[in-house]
Amino acid sequence: MNARTDTLLNVEPNIADHDAFYEMLVDTHQDLDDGQSKMLNAQLILLLANHIGDLQVLRAAFAIARRNVEAPSPQQ
């Protein structure tokens, strides 16, 4: 990933009320089984990706998320 792509994706805290966001996210998953929760997450990803609409920004986000998942956890 080149520097230009990295600069397109804002990875700095950007949500004014992060506690309210987290509460909204948890509440949205309330009473859903695992399958429904995964479907909700998929729907959110698609809706927000469509809102962003910039393939370079989305590519950068996918790459960062993948690296974070592939990185060994501190407990290992």
Side-chain angles (χ1 to χ4, degrees):
M1 188 165 26
N2 62 41
R4 175 162 161 59
T5 302
D6 285 342
T7 61
L8 293 174
L9 179 65
N10 181 5
V11 295
E12 297 302 318
N14 194 35
I15 297 175
D17 188 347
H18 57 273
D19 289 331
F21 167 76
Y22 184 74
E23 183 178 350
M24 180 175 51
L25 182 61
V26 170
D27 287 349
T28 302
H29 284 269
Q30 187 74 33
D31 300 322
L32 298 180
D33 64 30
D34 285 345
Q36 291 170 318
S37 186
K38 287 177 183 178
M39 180 61 77
L40 173 63
N41 284 335
Q43 289 286 323
L44 286 169
I45 290 166
L46 293 172
L47 288 165
L48 295 171
N50 183 66
H51 178 76
I52 293 166
D54 185 320
L55 194 55
Q56 284 186 302
V57 172
L58 295 170
R59 188 174 285 116
F62 277 52
I64 290 169
R66 178 68 187 236
R67 280 196 311 262
N68 289 342
V69 169
E70 290 176 340
S73 66
Q75 291 92 359
Q76 292 181 357

